[in-house]
Amino acid sequence: MSPRRVLAFTKRTLLQFRHDRRTLAFVLAMPLLMVALFGYTFGGEVKGVKVQVLNADVGMFAPVNFTLPLNLEVNVGNGIVANLNYETLTISNVTDAAAARQDVDKGVVWAAIIIPEGFTRDIATALLNQSAPRPSIEVYIDGSNPNIAAAVFKSVNTALAAALQEAVSAIGGRNASLPASVEPVYAYGGGDTKFVDYFAPGVISFAIMMVTTMITIILFVNERKNGTLQRLMASPASEWEIVTGYALAFGLIGLVQSVVILTAAMLLFNIQIVGNVVLALAVIMLIAFGHQGLGILMSAGAKNELQAVQFVPLILFPSVLLAGLFWPVESIPAYLQPLAYLIPLRYGIDAERSIMLRGWGVGEVWLDLAVLVGFAALTLCASALLLKRRR
Amino acid sequence: MSEKQGREDAVIVEGLSKHFGKVKALDNLSIRVPAGEVYGLLGPNGSGKTTAIKIACGLLRQTSGRVELFGQSRPDKKVLAQVGYMPQETAVYMDNTVHENLALFGQLYGLDRERFARREAEVLRFVDLSGWRGALASNLSGGMRHRLSLACSLVHEPRLIFLDEPTVGVDPELRAAFWEYFREIANRGVTVVITTHYMDEASHCFRVGLLRQGRLVAEGAPEQLKRSTGAASLEDAFLAYARGDGQ
């Protein structure tokens, strides 16, 4: 293999991008747009979620005690309503539980928060008697958007804890463990990790994959259609030199892309990169190498650009849905999971997430790396052999 | 004539056949082209000219038969470095400049910087594109792109050139210049194999082979073919051979 010829291909390809400004803009802007779009859609604070609150709690008088004012009334329900996050939630008070549930069903509001009549009294009973049933607040919620659902639950849980604490200290007690709960409680969200942190590594990997695969398919379809590939094959250049030259070009393009995206993600969304940035970039280059090979292989199945574009949904949807871009592979149906493990992007996303969020190093993500290296070697070798076979 | 017999054969094709499924694109084709000759492969579309050239350049594999370039039976990289190939399609990179296209092929064929600079100026002058060095191929006219394509196949000073329809879309003045150039480099020992379906042009070739349905129906110097059929033009001579009343 002659490095000079390899670099000749690399140089030509890069120069092509320099002249074709629009494609260059696409290469850099599309991933950026994706991060921005996903970031603002999922990542920002959830605000102004419409909910209805029905507070039926009648409260109770504090037990007669000479340290407390006479006829001290305690109402945990009122405390909860006061402590709800009025930025997250836009609250309207209602009195009819059935109507409130109907409004949720109809999509008028996201949730109905229903505090039962004897809530304070039941809490008092539960505090004194461990075996008494634990009272609960009903949150009747439209769970179609997990982000919103999580925000609502978080707000109600926080308000409940605060109201209870207030009530306990009002009657001169100390910290009390929560004898009440919010039903149903979704085990979702919480903590300080923003959703944007979770999916940013995935979106970056995904964007690199899409751009690399698409552009490679189209470039190679054009090479075949225009006859330039024949000209290359009639030259002393070998198939390996052609493939390596292109791989270098796309590796470099992927590198520039990912630097741009990472910088934008850090500036726009305050994404924390805990791990090694160089390792994160190396993984991105591996993703680019492998999908470039895939693009060359796919180009053999397309006669023109129109046919090439038809490959887009074929690679887009499995990657979006199965590769763990938005939700973990474990949460997709069991019978689809084996399929997910066949998608190379999954390993890229997994590695990027582990490196960027968990701060893992080569020692922990070696399996992902091995799969990506194997994938790249396989597709690049296969594409060189494919070019050879055409000879 | 004795000088010519002493020269080696640049191209030897023997019993070459190529089948695409049931279609016989080439049927037992045998041709010898001595070094320093301008040889024209003539024939209507679909007669097998392009297939023959692609096999010779190693782009297609023959069904049977033998091709030798400079005595090498399989086109290896060393031989290919001395061969130029201009495909029928305008095979240039549209999103690269004239210079970048030439530079790619210069580097692929191992030209050093100095030699490339000299050759680039030469071929650009020859194809009349000297003022367009920095222009994108996509901004050139069809004829200009075709000339650029020719320049790309000549930049490394090949000893043997296969040109597939090089004069399509080239205006008459430049076409005459092309033929003059091909004869000139042939006199310097370069072998030129050209396909064309313009019969009148073929009179510029030293010898022509008439292809029909993958078979060589006649071969010889253009004047000789005209004489033996009593035809006024090469086109009439071809028609005579196609009918089967030639010798």
Side-chain angles (χ1 to χ4, degrees):
Chain A
M1 199 182 291
S2 144
R4 196 151 175 261
R5 284 199 288 263
V6 170
L7 290 179
F9 288 119
T10 309
K11 193 174 162 195
R12 189 213 58 82
T13 312
L14 292 177
L15 284 169
Q16 169 175 356
F17 280 99
R18 210 182 72 184
H19 296 305
D20 187 356
R21 295 269 161 79
R22 218 173 85 178
T23 305
L24 186 67
F26 168 76
V27 164
L28 293 179
M30 193 191 88
L32 217 55
L33 188 73
M34 283 175 66
V35 171
L37 220 55
F38 285 120
Y40 284 121
T41 315
F42 295 118
E45 296 280 308
V46 175
K47 275 183 196 158
V49 179
K50 279 188 194 162
V51 296
Q52 294 182 348
V53 175
L54 193 163
N55 182 14
D57 192 358
V58 293
M60 68 181 287
F61 291 105
V64 178
N65 182 323
F66 65 90
T67 60
L68 294 175
L70 203 62
N71 289 344
L72 175 69
E73 201 191 333
V74 179
N75 189 320
V76 180
N78 289 345
I80 292 172
V81 174
N83 277 295
L84 283 172
N85 186 333
Y86 283 78
E87 210 165 298
T88 310
L89 308 175
T90 302
I91 296 164
S92 52
N93 291 301
V94 295
T95 49
D96 183 349
R101 290 194 193 98
Q102 257 179 22
D103 279 350
V104 176
D105 289 340
K106 283 187 280 186
V108 178
V109 293
W110 283 98
I113 300 164
I114 299 162
I115 306 168
E117 195 182 315
F119 192 61
T120 308
R121 198 178 52 236
D122 291 347
I123 286 176
T125 315
L127 276 173
L128 297 172
N129 181 359
Q130 297 288 327
S131 59
R134 293 163 59 108
S136 65
I137 301 170
E138 180 189 347
V139 178
Y140 190 79
I141 195 159
D142 172 358
S144 61
N145 186 325
N147 257 327
I148 289 179
V152 171
F153 284 124
K154 194 176 166 191
S155 178
V156 175
N157 274 317
T158 315
L160 173 62
L164 209 66
Q165 198 53 53
E166 281 170 16
V168 169
S169 56
I171 57 168
R174 294 205 186 85
N175 288 346
S177 60
L178 281 179
S181 60
V182 177
E183 299 290 342
V185 178
Y186 284 22
Y188 195 93
D192 286 335
T193 312
K194 283 180 297 175
F195 198 43
V196 66
D197 283 325
Y198 176 73
F199 78 78
V203 170
I204 292 169
S205 315
F206 174 70
I208 299 285
M209 181 213 77
M210 280 309 293
V211 168
T212 310
T213 315
M214 275 317 303
I215 295 207
T216 314
I217 294 180
I218 288 172
L219 275 184
F220 265 80
V221 164
N222 278 333
E223 285 260 15
R224 284 178 208 284
K225 204 181 68 180
N226 295 346
T228 42
L229 189 62
Q230 291 183 29
R231 183 162 241 163
L232 301 182
M233 300 304 238
S235 83
S238 74
E239 298 79 6
W240 302 100
E241 287 166 347
I242 298 175
V243 169
T244 313
Y246 268 104
L248 276 183
F250 279 97
L252 276 173
I253 291 170
L255 195 69
V256 174
Q257 273 180 303
S258 40
V259 169
V260 170
I261 303 169
L262 280 184
T263 313
M266 286 194 284
L267 293 179
L268 288 178
F269 303 109
N270 276 326
I271 287 172
Q272 305 293 321
I273 297 176
V274 187
N276 188 335
V277 177
V278 177
L279 188 59
L281 291 177
V283 170
I284 284 187
M285 284 190 78
L286 280 178
I287 296 174
F289 285 154
H291 285 91
Q292 190 234 327
L294 188 71
I296 300 179
L297 292 177
M298 284 179 143
S299 77
K303 286 199 180 74
N304 51 48
E305 286 106 323
L306 187 63
Q307 291 189 0
V309 172
Q310 293 162 15
F311 281 118
V312 173
L314 202 67
I315 47 177
L316 182 75
F317 288 110
S319 306
V320 170
L321 301 174
L322 298 177
L325 184 53
F326 295 121
W327 43 82
V329 174
E330 291 74 20
S331 68
I332 60 178
Y335 59 92
L336 279 177
Q337 283 187 23
L339 215 59
Y341 289 99
L342 290 178
I343 298 175
L345 182 65
R346 186 214 158 258
Y347 300 91
I349 293 179
D350 195 46
E352 286 295 1
R353 205 164 271 157
S354 298
I355 294 164
M356 287 167 61
L357 298 182
R358 299 180 177 135
W360 284 5
V362 180
E364 286 91 0
V365 297
W366 66 270
L367 187 63
D368 289 330
L369 290 180
V371 173
L372 290 175
V373 169
F375 174 62
L378 190 76
T379 57
L380 290 178
C381 287
S383 44
L385 290 175
L386 177 90
L387 294 181
K388 218 176 185 117
R389 191 181 63 88
R390 290 256 157 157
R391 205 162 249 263
Chain B
M1 268 304 161
S2 62
E3 183 205 75
K4 206 158 215 176
Q5 275 160 358
R7 285 184 187 166
E8 62 163 340
D9 283 325
V11 183
I12 299 176
V13 173
E14 253 178 35
L16 193 66
S17 294
K18 176 70 184 177
H19 302 170
F20 293 107
K22 278 187 180 164
V23 181
K24 288 183 180 176
L26 290 178
D27 189 6
N28 200 19
L29 181 71
S30 295
I31 291 172
R32 270 166 193 264
V33 184
E37 185 170 273
V38 179
Y39 186 93
L41 267 180
L42 268 70
N45 292 322
S47 57
K49 302 173 305 233
T50 299
T51 306
I53 282 192
K54 282 190 177 172
I55 293 175
C57 293
L59 294 172
L60 275 177
R61 214 160 278 182
Q62 63 267 46
T63 309
S64 62
R66 191 167 66 96
V67 176
E68 274 185 18
L69 305 182
F70 300 116
Q72 295 282 329
S73 60
R74 282 205 63 194
D76 66 4
K77 296 292 172 192
K78 227 185 222 162
V79 172
L80 285 179
Q82 303 172 10
V83 176
Y85 168 58
M86 177 185 171
Q88 210 164 32
E89 303 91 346
T90 307
V92 296
Y93 291 97
M94 292 295 176
D95 294 316
N96 286 105
T97 63
V98 168
H99 165 72
E100 286 161 11
N101 270 284
L102 288 170
L104 171 69
F105 290 101
Q107 281 156 10
L108 292 189
Y109 285 93
L111 268 60
D112 60 40
R113 197 176 289 264
E114 207 175 304
R115 182 155 167 240
F116 172 73
R118 179 173 61 78
R119 281 300 293 167
E120 184 186 30
E122 279 174 21
V123 293
L124 283 182
R125 204 177 314 122
F126 162 58
V127 298
D128 202 15
L129 285 176
S130 294
W132 298 84
R133 189 173 172 270
L136 283 181
S138 55
N139 291 340
L140 301 180
S141 72
M144 288 159 94
R145 282 179 205 158
H146 211 68
R147 275 139 60 191
L148 170 60
S149 175
L150 177 63
C152 287
S153 56
L154 295 174
V155 70
H156 60 290
E157 282 184 285
R159 282 172 66 202
L160 167 63
I161 313 174
F162 291 100
L163 303 165
D164 204 354
E165 307 268 4
T167 53
V168 171
V170 176
D171 60 61
E173 202 181 332
L174 197 64
R175 200 186 291 183
F178 272 18
W179 283 104
E180 197 183 321
Y181 178 80
F182 296 148
R183 292 177 71 99
E184 184 200 315
I185 57 175
N187 284 333
R188 281 189 264 148
V190 176
T191 314
V192 183
V193 178
I194 287 185
T195 73
T196 179
H197 59 264
Y198 295 139
M199 298 294 170
D200 57 328
E201 280 201 335
S203 54
H204 295 288
C205 299
F206 295 9
R207 281 194 311 145
V208 293
L210 301 185
L211 268 185
R212 193 163 175 274
Q213 292 173 346
R215 288 162 176 268
L216 195 66
V217 291
E219 192 183 44
E223 282 310 311
Q224 184 190 339
L225 291 182
K226 275 195 265 183
R227 234 179 297 127
S228 62
T229 52
S233 69
L234 207 54
E235 191 154 356
D236 293 336
F238 180 81
L239 291 171
Y241 278 110
R243 280 195 307 271
D245 49 1
Q247 288 147 341

